[in-house]
Amino acid sequence: MKNTISERIADFLKNYPPFSTMEEKQLEQLSIEVVIIHKETNTIVFSENENPHEHFYVVNKGAIALSKEGSTQILDICDEGDVFGLRPLLAHENYKLEAKAYEETILYAIPIKDFKPLALENKRIGNFLIESFASNTGNPYSIKHRGKLYGTNKEENQYSTNKILDLQPIKYSTDLITCKEGSKIKTIANKMTKHNVSCILVEKDGMPVGIITDKDLRKKVATGLFPITGLAKTIMSSPIITYPKELTLAQSQMAMMKSNISHLVLTEDGTTDTRAVGILSKHDIMVAVGNNPAVLLRAIKRATDAKRLRGIRHGTMKLLRDYLDQNIPLGLVSKIISELNDASTKQVIQIALSKMEKEPPVKFTWLSMGSQGRGEQLLNTDQDNAIIFEDVSEEQLEATKSYFLKLGERISKMLNTIGFEYCPADMMASNRSWCHSLSEWKSVTAHWIHNPGPEEILLSSIFFDYNVTYGEKALADELSHSIFDHANHYPQFFTHLASGALQNPSPSGFFRDFLVEQDGEHKDFFDLKLRALMPIIDAARVLILSHSIKSINNTAERYEKLAELEPNNKELYLACSYASKALLKFRTRQGLLHNDSGRYIALDQLNKEEKIKLKRTFKTVKDIQSLIEVRFQVKNLLR
């Protein structure tokens, strides 16, 4: 009669080293001697300095944390298939670390007396032990290994400046030439000539308020528009556009093209509220033409049709792939790709407007929402957008709306042509429900907030993650003020918002098994967006809004800000920031690999390391959901 338990053990062990190197009969014989051990969360497997056991251990389900006794810092986490506690047995020494169940865990205890003879006669087992002793370090929450989600090696992290020149910090001149608003233009021209500079910074009370360039002197003074005896404030460019001093080469190029300027003013924090520390000119950042963001941005701005933009989008995806291959920090990658996405959308809008029979009847705003609004749209995912237009009389409303619906339809169609899929829920400006006057939008969003059913919560939450891609920003600002005002006067709304954030299904079941789709087109696939990314995103939104922070949309940045605001929860929030970037990076890699959105993952195509690193984010998902459930008293709402 067969021993079905030992067969199951053998079937499990054969998938992991060093057992994968054993002959079938050897593994079957060893599996008969294996002891199955169940450990509750936080129970000890062995303690630091404890004498070695007669067994070493393999994690079957759950996870084991390794740390120094008495320390809260986890040095490593052993996951499914990981071996631990073997080195002391072979070296005849006490345990150097404490092993504790990170969560409810099942272990296979392998007797050393039965394993050692096999290791001595099997060269491949010996090589495995010599190389690693099954350390398999890769805990994303440890300080030493934070950020190494994909097990990248040292060479990958130390990317060459020759390969990614455009991501290196830009050097800038700190020798600023300045003047006052009341300085005479002739004095300024002489000063610029004396110092051989192409621009001069205009300051008031030590803060930058304007800039005067050679171009200003040529176009405004030499042409006779302004007398040379005039004052600086009459010809300076103001308000000034400032950037942070940590600007990279790529960001410098893109900033100049985006704002159509030839000089960048750098300040301590990137705003006009701090002193200037340097100036960059076009001459300072001239680089060879190549496949870098500035070149793509230039091509986008010159494109005259959707077909041309689609070709440029392929270049953007190639750039994204190159950045990921070089293991560039995802935060920087997201910013660059988001700028290119926004530029593509803006160019589409301009092309669409040029094809309309007449000019827009009133001012309007195009809002990009969802992942694009959060600066997290790396792949060609579906559209989420809306139009806000200025209020008009009741008699003009329908005709005005018809114009913008036609414009929205044209824009959405072109966005689809260049690679952005239509929204399955039809949350697009081509839909009447997403194209309103400012007053109509105020009324609609107020209704959502004061009547917070599941659908209303979903719809209203979208307006907390938008980006003004084109048009009149003041319209979006006024709508935001209205939304926040209603939300603050109805605090229960945040409880409903938190409840909505808890509606996403769990990523894992008992012992952290992946929970996959049970039916439909994606049966047996793992829904990375719904089960892992959205819970992290939704929690960040409700938490940051509860602090009345309106200016941060990006999920990782929201958690980093929360870590500042709530030091007692800093570790969890930083883990969430890490997890959001890790999951987004994982989805992006999968999307590029399979040429899709990366949402649905075929688990049988992942290797063991990918599964383990992905599952390590699941505990963070559950932890942050537990926090918002308690903080916003969601259970009371459901009673």
Side-chain angles (χ1 to χ4, degrees), residues 469-485:
T469 305
Y470 186 92
E472 201 69 21
K473 186 175 182 296
L475 293 173
D477 289 342
E478 188 172 340
L479 177 59
S480 287
H481 291 319
S482 172
I483 291 172
F484 278 98
D485 185 57

Side-chain angles (χ1 to χ4, degrees), residues 238-443:
S238 182
I240 198 167
I241 301 174
T242 57
Y243 290 87
K245 61 181 181 179
E246 298 83 7
L247 214 60
T248 65
L249 183 57
Q251 290 171 317
S252 303
Q253 292 174 299
M254 293 173 73
M256 283 191 179
M257 296 191 69
K258 179 181 179 181
S259 303
N260 195 28
I261 54 179
S262 59
H263 295 76
L264 302 181
V265 178
L266 309 182
T267 63
E268 284 289 345
D269 66 357
T271 73
T272 55
D273 296 328
T274 53
R275 294 181 180 276
V277 295
I279 288 183
L280 280 172
S281 69
K282 277 188 177 179
H283 178 75
D284 296 323
I285 61 170
M286 279 295 185
V287 292
V289 173
N291 186 34
N292 62 42
V295 173
L296 290 170
L297 189 60
R298 186 182 298 115
I300 289 169
K301 295 180 72 144
R302 291 177 177 175
T304 56
D305 56 52
K307 184 178 179 181
R308 175 60 182 148
L309 280 170
R310 185 176 181 85
I312 299 168
R313 289 290 305 159
H314 293 319
T316 302
M317 290 300 99
K318 182 181 182 303
L319 184 71
L320 172 61
R321 196 186 310 271
D322 290 343
Y323 282 171
L324 293 180
D325 288 344
Q326 291 294 329
N327 204 34
I328 305 302
L330 192 72
L332 180 56
V333 174
S334 296
K335 282 182 170 59
I336 291 174
I337 301 301
S338 293
E339 285 282 3
L340 294 172
N341 286 341
D342 286 347
S344 296
T345 303
K346 185 175 181 179
Q347 192 67 10
V348 162
I349 296 170
Q350 290 175 333
I351 294 171
L353 281 168
S354 70
K355 295 181 182 299
M356 295 291 285
E357 294 178 358
K358 56 183 180 179
E359 295 288 319
V362 292
K363 293 179 181 179
F364 75 100
T365 301
W366 180 273
L367 299 182
S368 296
M369 300 179 294
S371 58
Q372 186 175 358
R374 293 189 300 273
E376 297 165 3
Q377 188 180 43
L378 300 183
L379 298 168
N380 291 338
T381 52
D382 57 273
Q383 305 175 37
D384 292 296
N385 45 59
I387 284 178
I388 309 171
F389 57 86
E390 280 184 319
D391 288 336
V392 294
S393 66
E394 191 68 32
E395 294 77 19
Q396 296 174 309
L397 180 59
E398 189 55 39
T400 305
K401 182 169 292 191
S402 294
Y403 175 93
F404 286 112
L405 281 170
K406 185 176 180 181
L407 176 64
E409 183 177 356
R410 182 164 279 169
I411 293 169
S412 293
K413 185 176 181 180
M414 290 179 65
L415 287 174
N416 179 258
T417 300
I418 71 173
F420 296 102
E421 296 295 329
Y422 291 120
C423 175
D426 203 21
M427 293 181 182
M428 298 180 294
S430 54
N431 180 351
R432 291 186 69 90
S433 297
W434 294 92
C435 178
H436 293 302
S437 69
L438 177 59
S439 293
E440 287 179 316
W441 271 123
K442 288 180 179 180
S443 176

Side-chain angles (χ1 to χ4, degrees), residues 457-518:
I457 288 295
L458 171 63
L459 297 174
S460 60
S461 66
I462 291 172
F463 270 92
F464 295 115
D465 295 347
Y466 73 75
N467 172 47
V468 175
T469 305
Y470 186 92
E472 201 69 21
K473 186 175 182 296
L475 293 173
D477 289 342
E478 188 172 340
L479 177 59
S480 287
H481 291 319
S482 172
I483 291 172
F484 278 98
D485 185 57
H486 282 286
N488 289 332
H489 282 84
Y490 184 57
Q492 192 72 359
F493 170 72
F494 292 110
T495 303
H496 288 280
L497 198 61
S499 176
L502 297 173
Q503 298 307 308
N504 294 304
S506 174
S508 59
F510 196 58
F511 289 129
R512 297 196 306 161
D513 288 332
F514 286 92
L515 291 181
V516 298
E517 301 305 292
Q518 297 300 308

Side-chain angles (χ1 to χ4, degrees), residues 69-101:
E69 195 167 335
S71 172
T72 58
Q73 180 180 331
I74 297 174
L75 300 178
D76 195 14
I77 289 184
C78 298
D79 216 311
E80 293 177 18
D82 285 346
V83 178
F84 68 98
L86 176 55
R87 183 192 298 269
L89 275 67
L90 296 178
H92 302 289
E93 61 186 21
N94 293 347
Y95 293 113
K96 300 295 186 183
L97 298 172
E98 176 185 84
K100 181 188 292 185

Side-chain angles (χ1 to χ4, degrees), residues 44 48 53 64 118 143 331 333 444 478 509 556 559 628:
I44 301 294
E48 186 178 341
H53 299 177
I64 297 293
L118 299 176
I143 293 174
V333 174
V444 167
E478 188 172 340
Y559 281 117
I628 64 173

Side-chain angles (χ1 to χ4, degrees), residues 63-66 74-80 82-83 97 102 132 134-153 157 512 578 582 608-617:
I64 297 293
L66 302 179
I74 297 174
L75 300 178
D76 195 14
I77 289 184
C78 298
D79 216 311
E80 293 177 18
D82 285 346
V83 178
L97 298 172
Y102 192 61
S132 67
S135 60
N136 194 30
T137 304
N139 168 27
Y141 306 114
S142 71
I143 293 174
K144 181 178 179 182
H145 300 281
R146 186 181 298 276
K148 298 183 181 178
L149 181 65
Y150 296 95
T152 51
N153 58 38
N157 284 320
R512 297 196 306 161
Y578 169 83
K608 173 180 177 287
E609 182 181 27
E610 288 173 327
K611 288 181 182 178
I612 289 172
K613 304 299 172 61
L614 181 57
K615 288 168 69 175
R616 282 179 181 154
T617 64

